[in-house]
Amino acid sequence: MEGLDNLLNRFKRSLGRDVETREIVARCVKDATGLDIRLEDISVKNDTLRIKTSPTKRNSIKLEEAKVLSQARLETKINFKKIVY
């Protein structure tokens, strides 16, 4: 039973980090562009951010991409290299 509890705790910590990272990225986008992005529309894989949003928001984020990436790198300590839309 203790083994199962440890496994579930590891899953919980793993999922919590992902949510925290997505919240930070959403805040970075909001600071740089003034746009709200839903957490469900943000995913992180290795050093790539994927943001699924409308073409209008996408263009605004592309204009401020360097600012969003640099701020996200500082706050998450993950070396993001690009944003994929």
Side-chain angles (χ1 to χ4, degrees), residues 1-50:
M1 202 63 165
E2 187 175 309
L4 180 60
D5 189 43
N6 288 337
L7 178 65
L8 292 175
N9 283 332
R10 283 190 291 171
F11 279 128
K12 189 187 303 184
R13 282 193 306 268
S14 174
L15 292 174
R17 265 188 258 134
D18 183 43
V19 170
E20 183 179 330
T21 302
R22 290 186 292 148
E23 287 174 347
I24 291 171
V25 170
R27 190 177 65 243
C28 292
V29 170
K30 173 81 171 170
D31 291 346
T33 65
L35 300 172
D36 287 318
I37 304 293
R38 298 180 324 167
L39 294 181
E40 299 84 35
D41 294 338
I42 299 171
S43 61
V44 177
K45 185 170 183 182
N46 298 330
D47 61 353
T48 304
L49 286 172
R50 180 166 179 76

Side-chain angles (χ1 to χ4, degrees), residues 63-79:
L63 291 173
E64 299 294 335
E65 185 171 334
K67 187 175 181 180
V68 171
L69 285 173
S70 67
Q71 187 176 355
R73 279 186 207 118
L74 288 173
E75 293 187 29
T76 62
K77 307 294 189 241
I78 299 172
N79 190 21

Side-chain angles (χ1 to χ4, degrees), residues 52-68:
K52 184 178 175 184
T53 188
S54 69
T56 306
K57 287 183 179 181
R58 197 176 321 156
N59 288 333
S60 296
I61 296 169
K62 281 183 184 180
L63 291 173
E64 299 294 335
E65 185 171 334
K67 187 175 181 180
V68 171

